[in-house]
Each structure stands twice: as C-alpha cells, then as structure tokens.
Amino acid sequence: MKVLVLNSGSSSIKYQLFNMEEESVLARGIVERIGIEDSFLEQENIEGEELLWQEDVADHSQGISLVIDALQDEKKGVLENMDEINALGHRVVHGGEKFADSVLITSEVVEKIEEVSELAPLHNPPNLAGIKECQRLMPDKPQVGVFDTAFHQTMPEEAYIYALPYEYYQKYGIRRYGFHGTSHKFVSRRAAELMDKALEELKIITCHLGNGASVAAVDQGRSVDTSMGLTPLEGLVMGTRCGDIDPAIVPFLQKKEGLEPEEVDSIMNKESGLLGISGISNDSRDVSEAAQQGNKRARLAAKVFNYRVKKYIGAYAAAMGGTDAIVFTAGIGENDGAIRAAILENLEFLGFKLDETKNNTRGEEIEISTPGSRVKVFAIPTNEELVIARDTAKILENRE
Ligand code: AMP
C-alpha cells in the first residue's frame, strides 16, 4: 500500500510518499513560497536523487499538481501513475472538540473542519485548501485527516478549562486544546516499547522542543495535560513565541504602544521567544553560539527557555503523582544534549541520573539516563508523517 502524506501550510506544501509494507519513504519534498515570488519544488527520492523545479506556484491547486508531476517525473520520480497511490493522509492543525481521532474525510468532515477554523485561522484554511484540491484532482482516492489536537482530547476538565466566565467556553469554545499531539503520541508509545512495558502502567512526560515547543503529561497512554492552549502560543518559550505571560501585559502594551490587537498578537507570535529576548535569532543554535561567546541576552534567552521546560516537567510530575519517563524530541530535544542537560539539572530528585556520555548523542533514539535510574530519560526522534501514514493505512484497512 502506498500513502501520500501532505502537510499544507499557508505558503508551503510538505509531502512524503510511504510504502507501507516496509514503512519506507519513497520520496519526500516541499513546495515553497506558494503565492510568493521565487516559488519552487524540491524533492528527494529513495535513491537520494534530488529534483529542483523553480516555477511560479500561485496557489495550493498548482502546488498539488506540481507534487503529482514530481512524483511521476520520468527520471527522478517514483510512480508510473497516480493510480499506484492508495490513499492520502492530511495533517490538520485544529480539530476543536469535534475530532478525538483521525477520520476518513467526507463532506461532513470538511464542514466540521471549516466550523473550527476560526480557532486556527492561519493553519486550518491552508490545510483545507490542500484537502479540497486533492478531492478535486483525485476524487476516487480515500483521504484521511489527522489532527494535531486529537491526542489531547482526553484531558480532564480541570486541565482544559480556563478560569474565565464559563459562557466563553460555551459560546466560543475557548479552552485548552493543545497541539503537537501526533508527536506526543508517537514518542510516548515509543518510550513504552523501549521500556518493554505496557502504556497503561506508565506516566510519561514528553517534551517536544523545536521551533514550536510543548510538553505533555501522558498518563496510561492518555494525554492528561499539555502546555499549549487555545492556540500554540501558550506554554513554553519558543523560537518566536512568548509562551506563558501575564495576560494583563496585552492591554498594557496596547495602551502604551498604541497597538491594535492584531499587532500585539503578531509581536507575541513572531517577535518574542528566543528571538525576542536575545535579539539575535529564533534558532536555538545561533542563540547557544552567541551565549557561548558571552552575549548576555542570548545567555538569558537560553536560561529562560530551559527554566520554563524544567517548570513544566515538575508541574506534570505533580499532576500525575510522579513520572516513569521523560522524553525529549523535535529539533532541539533530539539534538541538543547541552540544552537537555540544563533542563534536567536539579530534577534528579524525580529519580534519574543523566548519563553524560550518552546525552552527547545527536539525532538518535537513545536512553540518556543511567541503567540504574528508576525514571528513564530518552531522546526519541519524532515522526509525525509516519503516524499520519499509519493512521491513514489503518482507516483504509478497516474500511475494506
Ligand atoms: P524543529 O522545529 O523541530 O525543526 O526544530 C527547530 C529547532 O531545532 C531550532 O531551534 C534548531 O536550532 C534546533 N536544531 C535543529 N537541529 C539541531 C542540531 N543538530 N543541534 C542543535 N539544535 C538543532
């Protein structure tokens, strides 16, 4: 079975074509700068052959058509024709309270995704554009939606209700939803496998630390709390997002700087986080390098980032009455041993000791706590595309 996984963003479409028998990636690529000048498609196939097409891509419709052409390219393509694809899996950012699992996309599902789009105005519309375009171009192919929010739908009320007048939850659906669910689900399950234990026996804290970052508390395989909220802005310090701040800062800034709500929103989402504190970069590698060279604000940005993750790990250990494992994943979590060590410093009371040699490993699935540790600490590369492909294949098999 072959499954094409698509992640349609506002100006890009990322894709991977999986052969599900071996779970191998036949081709992966990206269409970038859709609707902007200098757009292009880049693709690498299973042989490592690269393809680069610089062409105008005005919208998602052209973008998807280009993906289809690239997959069938005579020299560097991997398909003879599109009939070889059995199904498509789409990443959808926000499923609101309507989706607690992946679903086969029907017209009713499209309507429901449209209904919750108000909660993710930057993400859901391009996700939907990708879905609709695929439905138009490949009307007979089953399509599956996999939601970033779905895994967190198991949170109890006390974790997801904000202490605002309850009517705002009822009227507008204002509550914690959480994101990166596909990643938290994948790495928590993988940790249980590595520990050779049933998920139902385990309390796991998963730290997805990339340009976007969140922590989740996974008790018996179910998400019981997570740091992102109504939107991906809440929680940790991120590349350009501020994470938790006193909400009173928003009207204060609006008055002082004469800003419109959208402008403050943009400052909090695009000009804050590591970039905002350091004034250097949203990329943690640049910030670490500047900090090592003695830049004070870069050092401060790194310290604030690490401290916030540490605080959430402590909070989620409290929420679950302890923890059996802590997992690090995504760009920073998988690769940066120095940041992992700084976060874990003084958390040894939870029941682990860090193996410093193993912690220096990059990009590998590895236990970084010492063998005798009661609480296990892992770095586990995430693979959201594989989860989308697996969910798509499962839904397809159940349907046949
Ligand atoms: P992501 O959003 O998961 O792609 O992660 C992006 C973040 O991961 C950026 O802050 C990068 O600096 C960081 N990152 C990616 N690769 C590495 C690496 N090899 N070493 C340290 N940090 C990395």
Side-chain angles (χ1 to χ4, degrees), residues 208-212 239 274 282-286 329-337 339 362 382:
H208 178 109
L209 309 179
N211 195 34
L274 290 177
N282 65 309
D283 191 303
S284 67
R285 284 169 291 193
D286 300 338
T329 191
I332 299 170
E334 291 165 23
N335 294 300
D336 201 318
I339 292 183
R362 269 180 203 280
T382 193

Side-chain angles (χ1 to χ4, degrees), residues 303-318:
K303 274 177 19 184
V304 178
F305 177 93
N306 297 340
Y307 177 66
R308 186 80 53 87
V309 184
K310 186 198 296 283
K311 226 161 70 160
Y312 268 99
I313 293 174
Y316 289 166

Side-chain angles (χ1 to χ4, degrees), residues 8-284:
S8 308
S10 56
S11 64
S12 71
I13 300 170
K14 292 188 198 134
Y15 63 98
Q16 290 193 18
L17 179 67
F18 283 86
N19 180 346
M20 295 312 290
E21 275 72 47
E22 299 122 33
E23 293 195 332
S24 57
V25 178
L26 299 172
R28 72 180 83 222
I30 184 164
V31 186
E32 285 214 62
R33 303 182 62 83
I34 297 174
I36 315 173
E37 276 170 31
D38 303 325
S39 41
F40 62 90
L41 174 145
E42 257 180 330
Q43 177 177 287
E44 185 179 353
N45 69 16
I46 194 164
E47 311 291 341
E49 293 170 326
E50 288 174 14
L51 180 149
L52 175 65
W53 289 347
Q54 278 156 321
E55 298 221 346
D56 280 348
V57 186
D59 51 27
H60 283 74
S61 160
Q62 282 186 15
I64 304 241
S65 299
L66 209 60
V67 170
I68 291 173
D69 291 346
L71 290 171
Q72 298 175 92
D73 182 65
E74 239 174 76
K75 289 195 183 121
K76 296 174 180 171
V78 288
L79 296 175
E80 300 257 309
N81 64 62
M82 290 305 280
D83 291 342
E84 291 175 52
I85 296 182
N86 301 85
L88 289 99
H90 296 269
R91 176 188 181 208
V92 184
V93 168
H94 218 308
E97 287 185 330
K98 296 184 191 288
F99 300 101
D101 214 338
S102 306
V103 285
L104 186 70
I105 297 175
T106 58
S107 49
E108 197 186 324
V109 167
V110 168
E111 261 172 45
K112 282 188 184 171
I113 299 174
E114 268 161 0
E115 279 164 29
V116 297
S117 283
E118 203 185 23
L119 298 171
L122 297 180
H123 294 102
N124 273 27
N127 299 160
L128 267 171
I131 291 171
K132 286 182 178 168
E133 210 33 51
C134 290
Q135 285 180 323
R136 197 177 64 80
L137 292 168
M138 296 164 268
D140 301 329
K141 293 225 189 290
Q143 321 235 5
V144 167
V146 180
F147 301 85
D148 276 22
T149 48
F151 180 56
H152 300 300
Q153 277 296 301
T154 48
M155 281 188 288
E157 292 176 315
E158 61 268 32
Y160 72 70
I161 288 291
Y162 292 122
L164 288 166
Y166 194 71
E167 68 195 77
Y168 296 134
Y169 167 58
Q170 293 171 307
K171 269 210 283 200
Y172 306 121
I174 294 180
R175 51 159 283 181
R176 176 183 311 288
Y177 290 97
F179 299 86
H180 293 144
T182 315
S183 176
H184 290 294
K185 184 177 176 182
F186 177 78
V187 298
S188 55
R189 269 138 190 78
R190 195 64 205 127
E193 280 168 18
L194 294 172
M195 292 168 81
D196 204 13
K197 291 212 164 125
L199 263 172
E200 292 67 34
E201 295 170 24
L202 295 171
K203 301 174 197 295
I204 305 176
I205 298 170
T206 49
C207 309
H208 178 109
L209 309 179
N211 195 34
S214 65
V215 185
V218 184
D219 195 353
Q220 301 182 26
R222 294 154 63 89
S223 171
V224 293
D225 205 349
T226 190
S227 57
M228 284 179 165
L230 173 73
T231 75
L233 183 58
E234 194 182 346
L236 300 180
V237 174
M238 306 177 216
T240 57
R241 295 187 200 128
C242 58
D244 298 336
I245 59 167
D246 181 343
I249 294 169
V250 175
F252 184 90
L253 266 182
Q254 282 179 315
K255 280 192 207 134
K256 284 280 181 197
E257 299 268 318
L259 298 169
E260 295 297 323
E262 299 74 28
E263 292 175 303
V264 187
D265 189 62
S266 171
I267 290 169
M268 295 187 299
N269 274 290
K270 297 185 183 154
E271 296 173 33
S272 301
L274 290 177
L275 172 67
I277 302 176
S278 71
I280 288 176
S281 172
N282 65 309
D283 191 303
S284 67

